[in-house]
Amino acid sequence: MIEITTHDHANELISLSGAYLEQDERNLRKENMAEYKIAVIRGDGIGIEVIEEGIKVLNAIADRYDIKWDFVEFPWGSDYYFEHGQMMPADALDTLAEFDQIYLGAVGHPDIQDHIALNGLLLPIRRRFDQYVCERPSVLYPGINTPLKDKDAWDIDLVVIRENTEGEYANVGGFQYQGFPEEIGVQVGVFTRHGCERIITYAFEQAQARDKKRKVTSITKSNAQGYGMIVWDTAFERIAEKYPDIETESLLVDAACMDFVRRPEDFDVVVASNLFGDILTDIGAIITGSMGLAPSGNIDPQRRFPSMFEPVHGSAPDIMGKGIANPLATIISGAMMVRFIGEVEAAETIDAAVLKVVEEGKTLPSDLGGQATTSQVGDAVVRALG
Ligand code: GGG
């Protein structure tokens, strides 16, 4: 009897000391927990709804991988514009500079001219933080319908590396005789040798790192744009010489649009100017199922400043507030952010969860042929994290 009591007591002590050990481990893990300050700008329209699901998934992954998020929300965008006459406050960029990364939903409102929304929020952030790479992958997942015939899952697996701070989006130009019949608008495309070389170099490094087709395709329209895009083409030839193991191809943007539809499986890394990259990635999104699946990262590869992760799609005012927006592009963009900060395993877990949800096809949003709400899709991804 005594023995049994002693035995029980010993077991109790063992399990108690085990519990203390576990608690110690937990405390130690908490102390060593990486903490990241993330600025969250939901922005407009469906941006508000899809970011909700992105944060849901990021919080769920934090529990599993000992990551700590310090999310700080900024209510900037069109509503802020209606109240203050600008999309974000004058010191917004200084405020954002204090953060590790930025997580953005969407910008744009039917009552605000698009150029005001973009030039008031999105583009100044990309420029100020020298996020000169816009990385936009397009992958045809299992279970996703493509409008292209005879294409199977994984046949399309490309990434567009879009130049993100200059080119056709450089804020250079002006009006003359505005409002008069003689009105003139001048829009200058800026192509610097430095800007072309660094984005093209990044593209070659991606082709090496991906280690898939080991190919870089450069896109311009230098037969018609005979100055800036010649600087680009010449930079492409010069940089290509440094990567003799990478296959190269140069296409005019019109041919590239055709080939994204005709032979998308031939592309690996595609490097394009700011405007052409934007246009091509809409094609990339639609041939791989939907804009609702297209993620992006606006990246400063040198990590001097915060990078910004956002879905490719805009604010989609026609479906805002209906609870039917597809949050997957935002969730995958979140995974890109997680990978960028170095939490690779956590990022892979999110990607795998998205793949599982898509492949199972039970909880898909309407743009992918399902009936699930935005929030149900987010919940399904959280469950699929395992
Ligand atoms: N997800 C951010 C957003 O609203 N994007 C829409 C858009 O028009 N983007 C322009 C661009 O990426 O250049």
Side-chain angles (χ1 to χ4, degrees):
M1 188 67 182
I2 291 170
E3 260 182 29
I4 292 168
T5 312
T6 314
H7 182 74
D8 279 346
H9 185 62
N11 271 347
E12 223 170 72
L13 278 177
I14 287 166
S15 80
L16 217 92
S17 65
Y20 284 137
L21 266 177
E22 273 174 25
Q23 185 61 47
D24 280 354
E25 262 171 35
R26 271 201 297 275
N27 288 343
L28 200 71
R29 277 214 314 265
K30 255 186 203 156
E31 275 168 28
N32 295 328
M33 220 181 227
E35 180 167 7
Y36 302 98
K37 269 185 89 171
I38 310 294
V40 178
I41 309 170
R42 293 177 187 241
D44 305 322
I46 61 167
I48 295 161
E49 301 156 55
V50 291
I51 282 286
E52 185 70 27
E53 303 312 307
I55 289 179
K56 189 187 276 179
V57 173
L58 289 174
N59 277 331
I61 207 75
D63 287 345
R64 289 163 177 74
Y65 286 91
D66 294 339
I67 301 170
K68 193 157 180 255
W69 303 116
D70 180 6
F71 292 119
V72 181
E73 296 234 13
F74 295 98
W76 302 336
S78 297
D79 284 346
Y80 192 91
Y81 181 87
F82 292 130
E83 215 175 300
H84 304 275
Q86 49 194 15
M87 297 289 288
M88 56 185 185
D91 62 355
L93 296 174
D94 292 336
T95 305
L96 291 176
E98 301 300 316
F99 285 80
D100 291 314
Q101 311 299 337
I102 304 165
Y103 197 31
L104 172 75
V107 282
H109 189 285
D111 296 337
I112 301 177
Q113 285 179 304
D114 277 342
H115 73 92
I116 293 178
L118 245 59
N119 283 295
L121 196 148
L122 198 60
L123 304 187
I125 295 177
R126 289 178 183 166
R127 279 196 215 104
R128 160 74 181 269
F129 298 126
D130 209 10
Q131 296 165 350
Y132 67 85
V133 173
C134 183
E135 205 172 306
R136 294 184 164 185
S138 293
V139 181
L140 182 56
Y141 290 123
I144 293 295
N145 285 326
T146 167
L148 306 183
K149 72 176 167 69
D150 302 332
K151 301 287 178 243
D152 294 324
W154 309 115
D155 279 354
I156 306 172
D157 182 358
L158 61 89
V159 60
V160 173
I161 305 297
R162 166 190 180 190
E163 200 292 319
N164 214 29
T165 50
E166 52 176 56
E168 310 88 339
Y169 275 50
N171 201 14
V172 179
F175 294 112
Q176 263 191 331
Y177 315 119
Q178 217 175 353
F180 291 93
E182 301 81 6
E183 193 164 24
I184 302 173
V186 177
Q187 191 81 46
V188 180
V190 176
F191 291 83
T192 65
R193 183 170 174 161
H194 169 68
C196 295
E197 284 190 352
R198 66 181 183 173
I199 192 70
I200 291 166
T201 301
Y202 186 89
F204 275 95
E205 281 169 6
Q206 280 300 300
Q208 279 187 331
R210 278 163 63 87
D211 203 15
K212 291 184 175 173
K213 296 193 180 70
R214 302 180 70 79
K215 177 177 171 186
V216 178
T217 304
S218 163
I219 313 293
T220 58
K221 185 69 183 171
S222 49
N223 57 347
Q225 303 275 298
Y227 302 111
M229 290 196 175
I230 295 295
V231 172
W232 177 292
D233 280 358
T234 319
F236 186 67
E237 284 165 20
R238 202 165 37 242
I239 302 297
E241 280 174 17
K242 297 186 190 168
Y243 298 86
D245 55 326
I246 302 292
E247 187 191 338
T248 61
E249 176 180 46
S250 247
L251 292 178
L252 296 175
V253 67
D254 42 344
C257 289
M258 189 173 67
D259 285 340
F260 260 47
V261 174
R262 191 175 56 151
R263 54 173 189 97
E265 63 279 9
D266 285 351
F267 293 102
D268 179 18
V269 177
V270 177
V271 62
S273 67
N274 212 328
L275 178 64
F276 295 166
D278 191 37
I279 295 168
L280 279 171
T281 48
D282 271 28
I283 303 180
I286 219 65
I287 60 173
T288 51
S290 170
M291 288 299 287
L293 269 177
S296 82
N298 304 276
I299 293 167
D300 161 28
Q302 279 75 41
R303 297 165 191 270
R304 298 155 296 171
F305 309 108
S307 291
M308 177 166 68
F309 298 83
E310 51 159 331
V312 171
H313 64 69
S315 57
D318 52 331
I319 57 163
M320 74 170 277
K322 294 185 178 167
I324 57 167
N326 182 348
L328 292 175
T330 306
I331 292 170
I332 308 169
S333 304
M336 287 175 80
M337 177 170 78
V338 172
R339 182 173 284 103
F340 186 71
I341 58 176
E343 302 283 356
V344 178
E345 219 182 308
E348 280 168 2
T349 304
I350 302 176
D351 284 341
V354 170
L355 184 59
K356 193 171 172 201
V357 169
V358 161
E359 206 170 357
E360 278 178 0
K362 285 191 217 139
T363 320
L364 293 180
S366 56
D367 61 316
L368 297 179
Q371 290 181 334
T373 64
T374 309
S375 152
Q376 285 168 342
V377 177
D379 290 344
V381 175
V382 169
R383 275 196 305 276
L385 291 173

